[in-house]
Amino acid sequence: MTNPLLEPFAGEFALPPFDRIEDSHFAPAFDAALTEARANIAAIAANPEAPSFANTIEALELAEETLNRVGGVFWNLSGADSTPARQALERELAPKLAAFSSEVTMNAELFARIDALWQACAGLALTAEQQRVLELYRRMFVRAGAALDEAGRRRMAAIKERLAVLSTAFSQNVLAEERDWVLPLSDADLEGLPDFVAAAARAAATERGLAGHVLTLNRSLVVPFLQFSPRRDIRERAYEAWVARGANGGATDNRTIAAEILTLREERARLLGYESFAAYKLEPEMAKTPATVRDLLMRVWKPARERALADAATLTAMMHADGINGDLEPWDWRYYSEKRRLAEHDLDEGELKPYFGLDAMIGAAFDTAHRLFGLEFRPLDLPLYHTDVRAWEVTRDGRHIAVFLGDYFARPSKRSGAWCSAMREQRRLGGEQRPIVVNVCNFARPAEGGPALLSWDDARTLFHEFGHALHQVLSDLTYSFISGTSVARDFVELPSQLYEHWLEVPDVLDTHARHVTTGAPMPADLRDRLLAARTYDQGFATVEYVASALVDLSFHEGAAPADAMAMQAAVLDGLGMPRAIRMRHATPHFAHVFAGDGYSAGYYSYMWSEVMDADAFDAFTEAGDPFDAETARRLERHILSAGGSAEPDRLYTAFRGRMPGVEPLLRGRGLLDPV
């Protein structure tokens, strides 16, 4: 039987043939792809010719072509549209792929070839891009354990395989708890809710084949419920279920998994000669050291905590005025904060949401990219992996640039959060290859026949993820190893967080924030009130984020804790965490940190990048135009198209002329001390 995953993808854009791919195709496709990749790697390592950049590094770039093609489809589907069969295969693949990665990076003959090239680099007449690729390949191999003795390499491989198993289990456990928790809501339970929240609860019930309305743990549903429901008892029940994901006992409990992951990470770092996993992880990042990260976070923590405590006192007084005595609780904060926002800024979410239709905000993101970078977006009618997914061809001056996929609605088969991935990365080696980029979000599904409406935060998320997409779409490099978002973790959030700023440009709102029913633009006074309130409740938002980042750093900064939950509690207590605010991501569902290595010891990255994004947007402000053509050209040349072709501080300095301080971040969050 022909396996469509093992055939070169055909058609105008070489997209995966989703209408022909079945779950049964993935396992044999991975087996065949791994066999092919192993043969290719063995041939490179055993090549009798002296190592050259072409026969070693460029050969490695192309050695896993089929594996990358198959994985590009599977890993996107496993996160965005899981099935029991895909989850089972994910568990089976995790140790297999980790073992294969160790085989490659600990292959002594292969590393000898790479090291020989590195030692002779000065005389090889390499381009700047090739030198960078060689440097990063060698660094990857060394950091993976290639220079360890045989016993060390064996132990490192075992650690990586076990970590792969654990991180997969962690992710699947969180998905299971989010999927399975459902709270039916009676008509009385809906009292006081805006129509859009009730409609989302009805849509969630319909999607699950249930009658009436239900509350789920999807952020785009549970957060509005916490904002607007006057039913304190249900708010408490929903909030506690939301923050308890992964900590409910039984087969889906993640607490022991997290502790074992931390122990193995510490051992991995010490095998490589580092005093801690944080020291190991941060060495190639912009921050370089745990001390630098802690300094940044604590500089932000103090003013944020002070603001949050002052806000808590105001909200407590509001609650007492309602006749509710006692302390402000975490399930009260959003409810009274929303009331306060309405009172102080005359902002009502129910009034705002009709101006943030999903289609309008997609159009705003596209139009902004057109005005900045000349990109055009043409809808495509193609078979895709789910009926929710939409596709566009991206062009510039008539030239094909990329295919962009948008998968916007929450569903039980999708893990929580929002992310950007590439089913195919940009490169020029072996022929021009343009990317296939995917944005995945979890917006509340509209009631049948109704418009899809976003909150202001949802719209920011859409712009954020599209900023990541532009980093892939505009990539212009020869080697996929450094293309797109293949950059330092604390640099990768710069394009995404920077792009959020354009949502706040009055001209963008005037053009695209139009009422979904009447088509009328958002009234100027409403727009001005919205923008005036953009730093509202930043004490809360900053505290919950920085607390999570500091817990993450503490987990990895020293010896691994025997009890991760006890350490979490100790860190928060030492910080003086306000009692009515909790971490944005408690340990048992902290997927950024435990569902893979990406943001481990690196959750601070969002704030590190925010230091730069606030300063980067100032470049447009200083030019006098948020769409200044010359500034946009510099942004594309030095950041968006450059990938990991140089150290991130060099790329940023090439764009801005200098590195920024923390002041633009504090000013942007409304936390800068008065002069």
Side-chain angles (χ1 to χ4, degrees):
M1 181 179 68
T2 301
N3 189 325
L5 290 164
L6 295 176
E7 303 169 354
F9 296 160
E12 185 179 4
F13 305 111
L15 261 68
F18 292 110
D19 54 341
R20 296 173 52 213
I21 295 172
E22 300 174 2
D23 282 350
S24 61
H25 291 137
F26 283 111
F30 271 110
D31 287 343
L34 280 167
T35 298
E36 177 186 283
R38 283 192 168 97
N40 291 340
I41 297 295
I44 297 167
N47 190 337
E49 298 177 4
S52 68
F53 191 85
N55 70 20
T56 303
I57 301 302
E58 291 188 342
L60 280 171
E61 282 281 281
L62 301 175
E64 299 174 21
E65 186 94 351
T66 304
L67 184 59
N68 290 336
R69 184 172 71 240
V70 175
V73 178
F74 179 77
W75 296 114
N76 188 79
L77 267 61
S78 67
D81 193 29
S82 69
T83 64
R86 291 170 192 168
Q87 288 192 318
L89 181 57
E90 192 177 3
R91 292 191 294 271
E92 180 185 334
L93 283 172
K96 278 187 179 181
L97 293 176
F100 170 70
S101 175
S102 295
E103 287 175 30
V104 175
T105 54
M106 296 186 203
N107 184 313
E109 293 174 320
L110 186 57
F111 178 61
R113 294 180 71 87
I114 295 170
D115 194 50
L117 287 171
W118 176 248
Q119 301 305 325
C121 181
L124 295 180
L126 300 178
T127 66
E129 185 179 341
Q130 289 172 330
Q131 290 181 42
R132 177 66 172 169
V133 169
L134 175 58
E135 174 191 6
L136 293 179
Y137 260 100
R138 184 181 183 277
R139 187 167 78 182
M140 178 182 71
F141 272 68
V142 170
R143 287 172 58 79
L148 296 174
D149 60 22
E150 185 178 349
R153 290 197 299 270
R154 284 199 303 269
R155 179 57 189 157
M156 182 65 78
I159 289 172
K160 289 181 181 178
E161 287 185 44
R162 180 60 180 162
L163 284 171
V165 170
L166 292 170
S167 63
T168 300
F170 188 100
S171 179
Q172 292 191 356
N173 287 346
V174 175
L175 176 61
E177 296 213 345
E178 291 172 343
R179 179 191 63 222
D180 294 343
W181 191 90
V182 176
L183 178 64
L185 298 173
S186 68
D187 289 344
D189 298 336
L190 298 173
E191 290 181 11
L193 293 179
D195 289 344
F196 71 86
V197 181
R202 184 168 66 252
T206 301
E207 186 176 38
R208 287 160 175 76
L210 302 173
H213 301 74
V214 301
L215 189 58
T216 71
L217 299 182
N218 175 262
R219 186 179 186 90
S220 289
L221 178 53
V222 71
V223 167
F225 185 87
L226 293 169
Q227 285 178 285
F228 294 105
S229 175
R231 288 289 301 276
R232 194 178 191 225
D233 58 331
I234 305 180
R235 292 203 313 266
E236 179 181 3
R237 185 174 173 186
Y239 181 87
E240 291 291 14
W242 190 38
V243 300
R245 289 167 293 159
N248 291 300
T252 57
D253 195 295
N254 277 332
R255 287 172 287 191
T256 57
I257 291 176
E260 186 178 354
I261 287 173
L262 293 172
T263 298
L264 290 171
R265 285 177 179 164
E266 181 194 0
E267 184 182 358
R268 177 182 176 185
R270 293 192 184 280
L271 270 174
L272 293 169
Y274 294 88
E275 63 181 16
S276 69
F277 183 80
Y280 159 76
K281 188 68 184 296
L282 293 172
E283 183 184 55
E285 308 297 335
M286 293 185 75
K288 301 300 181 188
T289 68
T292 304
V293 173
R294 185 170 290 278
D295 177 67
L296 169 67
L297 294 173
M298 292 308 298
R299 288 178 69 186
V300 177
W301 173 259
K302 182 176 182 295
R305 180 178 179 273
E306 290 174 355
R307 176 66 56 82
L309 289 173
D311 289 343
T314 300
L315 301 183
T316 300
M318 293 173 64
M319 185 179 76
H320 290 171
D322 277 353
I324 301 173
N325 297 319
D327 294 321
L328 184 76
E329 299 291 351
W331 48 89
D332 297 318
W333 189 292
R334 287 176 173 85
Y335 179 71
Y336 283 100
S337 180
E338 183 64 26
K339 281 176 169 276
R340 183 186 180 191
R341 185 173 76 144
L342 178 60
E344 294 185 0
H345 295 280
D346 194 20
L347 279 181
D348 178 356
E349 190 79 11
E351 182 185 9
L352 279 173
K353 281 199 103 165
Y355 293 98
F356 291 102
L358 173 60
D359 287 345
M361 290 302 100
I362 294 171
F366 287 178
D367 183 47
T368 298
H370 173 69
R371 296 175 68 181
L372 287 168
F373 310 114
L375 299 179
E376 303 277 359
F377 298 84
R378 177 175 69 90
L380 298 174
D381 185 10
L382 298 167
L384 299 168
Y385 63 85
H386 192 279
T387 55
D388 286 344
V389 186
R390 301 158 69 178
W392 293 265
E393 181 191 13
V394 187
T395 61
R396 179 157 60 184
D397 298 327
R399 173 176 172 256
H400 175 76
I401 298 293
V403 171
F404 173 70
L405 306 183
D407 183 355
Y408 295 110
F409 295 126
R411 52 182 176 267
S413 63
K414 184 189 288 187
R415 65 178 169 88
S416 62
W419 64 94
C420 177
S421 60
M423 286 193 180
R424 183 175 66 222
E425 296 174 322
Q426 181 273 329
R427 72 164 193 240
R428 290 195 296 272
L429 180 67
E432 182 75 14
Q433 176 174 285
R434 298 308 306 174
I436 301 171
V437 186
V438 190
N439 273 180
V440 183
C441 299
N442 269 280
F443 303 141
R445 188 180 298 278
E448 190 169 348
L453 302 179
L454 305 184
S455 67
W456 176 243
D457 284 344
D458 288 339
R460 290 181 69 92
T461 296
L462 188 148
F463 266 66
H464 179 101
E465 297 308 330
F466 194 72
H468 280 309
L470 288 175
H471 207 176
Q472 300 271 16
V473 166
L474 292 171
S475 180
D476 186 23
L477 293 158
T478 301
Y479 302 99
S480 61
F481 193 68
I482 57 170
S483 73
T485 55
S486 299
V487 299
R489 181 62 62 177
D490 50 9
F491 192 63
V492 77
E493 296 297 335
L494 169 60
S496 55
Q497 293 180 179
L498 173 59
Y499 206 66
E500 292 179 35
H501 288 268
W502 275 276
L503 179 61
E504 298 178 350
V505 171
D507 183 39
V508 172
L509 290 172
D510 291 344
T511 303
H512 297 283
R514 292 181 172 269
H515 197 283
V516 291
T517 302
T518 68
M522 179 184 288
D525 70 309
L526 179 57
R527 179 204 67 203
D528 293 345
R529 281 182 275 131
L530 173 65
L531 295 178
R534 58 188 147 194
T535 62
Y536 176 72
D537 216 16
Q538 278 299 306
F540 170 87
T542 307
V543 161
E544 66 164 8
Y545 165 77
V546 174
S548 296
L550 284 166
V551 168
D552 166 43
L553 182 64
S554 298
F555 277 157
H556 298 99
E557 207 173 9
D563 185 338
M565 299 304 293
M567 173 172 267
Q568 172 185 297
V571 171
L572 297 178
D573 184 61
L575 288 171
M577 184 76 170
R579 77 178 307 280
I581 307 177
R582 296 188 190 170
M583 292 169 62
R584 182 172 297 177
H585 306 289
T587 297
H589 58 262
F590 205 163
H592 280 81
V593 172
F594 294 106
D597 252 5
Y599 284 88
S600 56
Y603 192 61
Y604 77 93
S605 300
Y606 291 92
M607 185 146 285
W608 187 274
S609 292
E610 190 175 342
V611 170
M612 290 180 286
D613 83 64
D615 178 70
F617 193 73
D618 279 352
F620 288 88
T621 303
E622 291 162 12
D625 181 359
F627 295 97
D628 179 67
E630 176 54 35
T631 309
R633 277 193 291 271
R634 290 203 317 272
L635 177 63
E636 179 178 351
R637 178 183 175 189
H638 298 299
I639 307 293
L640 296 175
S641 72
S645 58
E647 289 294 326
D649 56 346
R650 285 183 55 198
L651 294 174
Y652 189 84
T653 302
F655 163 64
R656 194 68 171 103
R658 55 165 173 73
M659 290 298 292
V662 73
E663 289 75 19
L665 178 150
L666 293 172
R667 184 173 65 249
R669 285 182 173 248
L671 301 174
L672 197 62
D673 291 335
V675 177

